Amino acid sequence: MLRQIEGSRAVAETVALCRPEVVCAYPISPQTHIIEAVGAMVKEGTLAPCEYINVESEFAAMSVAIGASATGARSYTATASQGLLYMIEAVYNAAGLGLPIVMTLANRAIGAPINIWNDHSDAMAVRDSGWIQLFAETNQEAADLHVQAFRLAEELSVPVMVCMDGFILTHAVEGVDILDQATVDAFLPPYEPRQVLDPADPVSIGAMVGPEAFEEVRYLAHLRQLDALERIPVIATEFEELTGRASGGLVRAYRTEDAEIIIVALGSVLGTIKDAVDIRRELGERVGVVGITSFRPFPGDAVREALSGASQIVVLEKAFSVGFGGVLSTDVAMSMQGEQYVMRNVVAGLGGRSITRRALEALIADAVRGDLPALTFLDLDHDAVDRERDRMAKTRRSGPSAENLLRDRGALSSSYPRSES
Amino acid sequence: MTTQPVHFYQIGSFAVGNRLLSDDERTVQSSPNRANSIDSGHRACQGCGEALGARYALDAAMRSSGGQIVAVNATGCLEVFSTPYPETSWRIPWLHSLFGNAPAVATGVAAALRVKGLHDVRVVAQAGDGGTVDIGFGCLSGMFERNDDVLFICYDNEGYMNTGVQRSAATPPAARTATTDVVGPEPGNVFGQGKDLPRIAMARDIPYVATATVADLHDLEQKVERAMSMRGARYLHVLVPCPLGWGSASSETIHIARLAKETGLFPVFEAHNGVVTDVAKIRRQVPVQEYLSIQRRYAHLFGKKPRPDIVARIQTIADQNIARYGLVEPASSDQEVHV
Amino acid sequence: MLQVRIHGRGGQGVVTAAEILSVAAFAEGRHAQAFPSFGSERTGAPVVSYCRIDDVPIRTREPVMEPDSVIVQDVTLIHQVDLFSGLSNEGYVLINTSRSFSELGFDDHFRAFAQDRLLTCPATEIALEHVGRPLPNAALLGGFAAFTGEITLDAIRQAILDRFEGVVGERNAAAATAAFEFVINAKEELAHASTN
């Protein structure tokens, strides 16, 4: 049923429809509304049978999920940013043990400096963990991806995280069609574990593996991710046949057929980019967009195919590798080896800085003119940076940079977007 | 009801038992039908107290539950020597996740069993002292606070032995470890530090807290079985001497564990809902010197430059334990136990 | 697309206002998107929320940079926040106050604006009368409906009743109705004034 609801609520209700058996979570902005809603459903009995555990840390959350999943229960948790890092040992552990846990990652910047707003640095921090990482463009897709995630995870015995932009999606109220129980049940059969702790058939899970076999175990994980590349489009197609809407898949192209310039991005910013692209298209500029939904496994072939024909590829991303450049752009470049094109990397939206349509239009105009540098930090206040560098050069005890920059900025709330005038 | 120390007699086989005992008083270990939860062939050191303690505890848990337990193990000696790739010595369902999360993983296992209606399958979590009092402390506190239905067993060999004998918050004062070397004005581990996990567990008022050593098989098995007869968070702290880390003879493991109890350095007791309900009395208090002098981790207290002052401080600790728990029968009337 | 920006302080229901407006629009068969500019939960701090309404799916996720309409729930923000940033000369401004635009000292700022699109409404007083609490958001939404004609009072009332249960919902809906009527009257007076 189509309802006007908050993204977090849509995700919570959809996760409940997936019949999770053990839910454990530790609160962290901006994921709180999701776990509060699921917790309420368990407490009042609308989600049953389900055990909801209030854990003492994110490390405990993922650990509880590991124990539950290894015992054959469908397990779910959610976190963001600092919480993801706090559980990172267990995140790798879950993937290494092949446990099909599903987790919502409400993308949020990682500190220091502490920042509760959206960017993708958290997802990037675990991109090599062996988890599948799917990025939602809208709240509809965020909800839908959870259903697909449980199916994918359990088929392959690989944990899956659904990434949705913190606040921008989690706290936005918009129209989302929530599936009904029968539809989800038809799509998602009960969990049949590949390995399970059962006194009737004892196994040891989690033994040490030495140099003799470690590479093989890791390679098997690699193969499972490659299997995922095959399964993700199939599952998305099946989902579309069942529900009538396209959600998930590997990549999604928009107006790329004759595009000379293609912008590549992850997540909710794709919506704003499409609006900007439409405006520039009216002016005759041949520009298109490719949204990557499956970030891990990285769909190299699909990306390459979608970008073929473009002479300039602009990768716009909400994360970067400090001292080097983009993360997503590096992956895209790897996929484009041997192709003829120019790549431009734009780092934008860090720590929740708004990515405005006008800024994107200006970006496209620059790209059309060939004026984009190899690496741009969108909307960066160069003056503020220069002032701080001067301070640091002049005195040893220059103080915390973050404080200096904020003091520089003055009394305005830092989350309020600056006008274009 | 204080347990009665039992004398063992060699009965013509390798079974540990006493043929004067009735069947229901015999240990699990005396039965050829015991589960052998951790089977022979593991790679523990000769004389390893932890291997012994784990076998005792898990076989008892298996008998209590009719063979229906799932074990969760933290990283540590037990996990490493019991699963040398490509073998496992576990005959029971067993999960090793990480160093610091055994309590939380066990909580997850218990939740899954509950949601699936498998009420007869029980969860035992086990870790060394490091995985309990240090890195596992956060998760353990959560398990206690939620009263999760897990029996958590800490095998305390008073240090990080698997990684080369480093100090943990369970390492006693003056003990030498690789990170508390016997140099400087305070040789070995310093006084005034450490965590008393049994008392911390009692402060949480969980249904059952008990301490035990590998020197008293009957006592340890009974405590496991008592714990298994209850639901909720239960904590068992077992002293397991480590010949390598303690610098003791491998044949001395049980003797040293007994001395730890008889000196008062390791109080053996039971508590229900935060209140001490039973203690194992010390029949004849042994001076700490007798216990310390047979462990090379305390060698610096004796020999050419002895430190009787440090030994005296350790004796004070033993005396305080005896007073606190009422471990020695007073000459006069009843002594209340204040913890 | 209609873009609305609502300014207020934490605890005044600024976020809820945008949400209710979006629910009302949805009930009328339109696409709507509502979201706050986010910050740590803190009463009294400046808060902004946004609502977009359109007849096609709304894709953009940026904050409302060029509002068609600005609602100000707390007039003390005037010197603290750039309330009217990006507002076009044809834009609607609805300010919660019992004073007039002139009394607020806005004559100069809004000289070039369409004067029949600037309105003040004593929403706090209306809320105190009907709800018993100085929470002006429901009233302002009723006023907004009357002012811009972009949404019906019925839809606003229903969205309020869905959001707040029982008596609380009814009282807030009553406040919305009262503010709606106030604005209708104010508009008529403005129209008379300009024709006279």
Side-chain angles (χ1 to χ4, degrees), chain B residues 106-169:
Chain B
T107 293
V109 174
L113 292 170
R114 214 162 35 243
V115 85
K116 291 188 177 297
L118 298 169
H119 301 294
D120 295 334
V121 182
R122 312 297 302 282
V123 185
V124 176
Q126 44 188 12
D129 50 283
T132 305
V133 314
D134 282 339
I135 199 170
F137 194 64
C139 288
L140 188 60
S141 79
M143 189 202 109
F144 285 168
E145 177 267 310
R146 288 184 302 267
N147 199 27
D148 293 329
D149 189 17
V150 173
L151 167 58
F152 191 96
I153 305 177
C154 171
Y155 303 109
D156 184 5
N157 53 23
E158 300 182 341
Y160 292 96
M161 300 316 189
N162 185 237
T163 43
V165 191
Q166 292 87 16
R167 175 239 189 245
S168 80

Side-chain angles (χ1 to χ4, degrees), chain A residues 59 62-64 66-67 89-90 93-94 97 99 205-207, chain B residues 72-75 79 94-102 105-106:
Chain A
F59 178 61
M62 184 52 67
S63 300
V64 169
I66 285 169
E89 205 196 352
N93 189 252
L97 293 178
L99 297 171
I205 301 176
Chain B
V72 174
N73 217 137
T75 309
E79 166 259 326
W94 180 89
L95 173 63
H96 163 240
S97 173
L98 295 166
F99 199 179
N101 71 358
V105 175

